[in-house]
Amino acid sequence: MANADFEGRSYPANAPYSVGPEKIREFAVAVGATHPAHHDLVAARGSGYPDLVAPPTFAVVVAQRAESQYISDPEAQIDFTRVVHADERFTHHRPIVAGDELTTVLHVDRVVVRGAISMVTTRCEIYAMPQHVEVPSPEAEGPGEHVATVVSTLAIRGEDA
């Protein structure tokens, strides 16, 4: 069962994730996103983007890196082999583009334990790092430009479920 004491906990901004054009292309192929702005620089620039633009669900790649801080914390008591993704919501403040250096602040918004099931809701606030900052400040709530918010709900089955 998930440790309910983690509700309300926040984790510091993680190390930046470099969004490369090859990662955008690979993700676009994997999810069947065929818009040329995901694959071709000329098409992306013709659509007004500075570089290839990621499909909207690409934000999950960045969010899951941050969520791993929580899931791998032994005190959180998350057995990932018993996790089922229950919900995922994206709010974009601007598109993710190749060349972005993204960092994420993770919040554990809710932990509900009912019988043999735990429901955990996390919120990842994703920011584009300013070009002159290499490592986010541990005190910073969110360095850089706010890019996206990803809210995930995980259902965690207990051993009796």
Side-chain angles (χ1 to χ4, degrees), residues 50-131:
D51 210 313
L52 295 185
V53 62
T57 55
F58 184 86
V60 76
V61 172
V62 183
Q64 286 183 344
R65 287 180 69 242
E67 288 171 343
S68 71
Q69 296 173 93
Y70 168 59
I71 290 169
S72 66
D73 187 334
E75 292 180 25
Q77 301 172 357
I78 307 292
D79 179 353
F80 198 67
T81 65
R82 299 185 159 283
V83 171
V84 176
H85 229 113
D87 187 41
E88 193 95 49
R89 289 176 279 139
F90 301 88
T91 302
H92 290 276
H93 307 289
R94 72 132 164 104
I96 295 172
V97 294
D100 278 340
E101 294 285 326
L102 302 176
T103 188
T104 306
V105 176
L106 171 67
H107 305 274
V108 180
D109 286 343
R110 190 162 187 218
V111 179
V112 176
V113 178
R114 290 211 172 92
I117 302 289
S118 298
M119 297 295 287
V120 176
T121 301
T122 62
R123 176 174 38 92
C124 292
E125 301 293 351
I126 302 172
Y127 300 89
M129 298 288 297
Q131 294 300 321

